[in-house]
Amino acid sequence: MFGAAAALISSSSSRLFSRNILSKPPSSPFSHPRFSVRSMADSAFRKVQIQRDDTTFDAYVVGKEDAPGIVVLQEWWGVDFEIKNHAVKISQLGSGFKALIPDLYRGKVGLDAAEAQHLMEGLDWQGAVKDIRASVNWLKANGSKKAGVTGYCMGGALSIASSVLVPEVDAVVAFYGVPSSALADPAQAKAPVQAHFGELDNIVGFSDVTAAKALEEKLKASGTPYEVHVYPGNAHAFMNRSPEGINRRKGMGMADEDEAAVQLAWSRFESWMVRFLSS
């Protein structure tokens, strides 16, 4: 059943992205398939290998060794400059967190929207949930007394799924992504969930306002603590604020820039994780 659900969410999510994002005319160098950006934060990370079942995957760690842990889940692009920027930011919030990015694509990165769609379509979603659980357990075995999960876009959907499917998760913050109910029903969430959406997000059923409201009703039924925030005037992936990320969003027709909303979202993120991950 899980395998069928994984196939369902993979195909439906990729179709949504194909219809709403791939239709945007490319207007920046980030649309070129051979253009890549190296994160300025690359040197901050330590690469580790994590074992689960009969496979091993790479993960990237940044932050204080004994700090509360947060698994940071990639967008559909893969482990690229933007998700690394987010992880570094998270590691520096408040008194500090230990951020870990599991490489769900096993080293592959989408350098344009078509490549990213192809990678997302090929993702083993059941395996991704297992990667998340192994990552949470790795953090708890390596100095973090508690561990949360956050994610963006595809990773946002997976982070909400982890609140249902990964019992070791202590808190979740999800950005603009909701899993198919066939993969994980948020009404069955066991970990506290905070979720963030842009009012202008047009990915219907995945991260638009209708999806946000439906998620809120599901979380209300779960009985676990939750918050759902919608940011007026903001579109999909509004948290991507690096110069490269801004250009990439503009190239896909998302020209909104709202630094105040981004800072508010980070403030809410920090408060939520401190509340539930502090020992």
Side-chain angles (χ1 to χ4, degrees), residues 50-84:
I50 298 177
Q51 179 79 30
R52 61 102 173 149
D53 298 335
D54 58 350
T55 188
T56 300
F57 61 91
D58 291 338
Y60 301 87
V61 183
V62 60
K64 296 192 302 184
E65 284 301 307
D66 59 348
I70 299 179
V71 176
V72 183
L73 301 176
Q74 66 199 50
E75 297 176 293
W76 70 332
W77 307 105
V79 180
D80 70 347
F81 62 94
E82 201 68 81
I83 201 64
K84 289 182 178 179

Side-chain angles (χ1 to χ4, degrees), residues 203-279:
I203 305 178
V204 178
F206 180 76
S207 52
D208 65 337
V209 171
T210 300
K213 291 179 178 178
L215 173 66
E216 187 168 18
E217 290 304 310
K218 289 281 191 177
L219 292 174
K220 185 183 299 183
S222 75
T224 193
Y226 73 93
E227 293 179 0
V228 176
H229 301 286
V230 176
Y231 297 81
N234 285 267
H236 191 73
F238 66 88
M239 295 297 287
N240 292 354
R241 301 301 301 148
S242 70
E244 300 89 350
I246 290 171
N247 284 341
R248 184 163 67 181
R249 292 182 76 248
K250 287 181 177 178
M252 294 186 294
M254 295 177 283
D256 56 296
E257 295 187 34
D258 188 350
E259 191 61 34
V262 172
Q263 293 308 315
L264 177 58
W266 279 125
S267 175
R268 288 168 168 166
F269 176 104
E270 179 182 342
S271 296
W272 194 257
M273 289 303 196
V274 168
R275 175 183 171 187
F276 292 105
L277 300 186
S278 296
S279 299

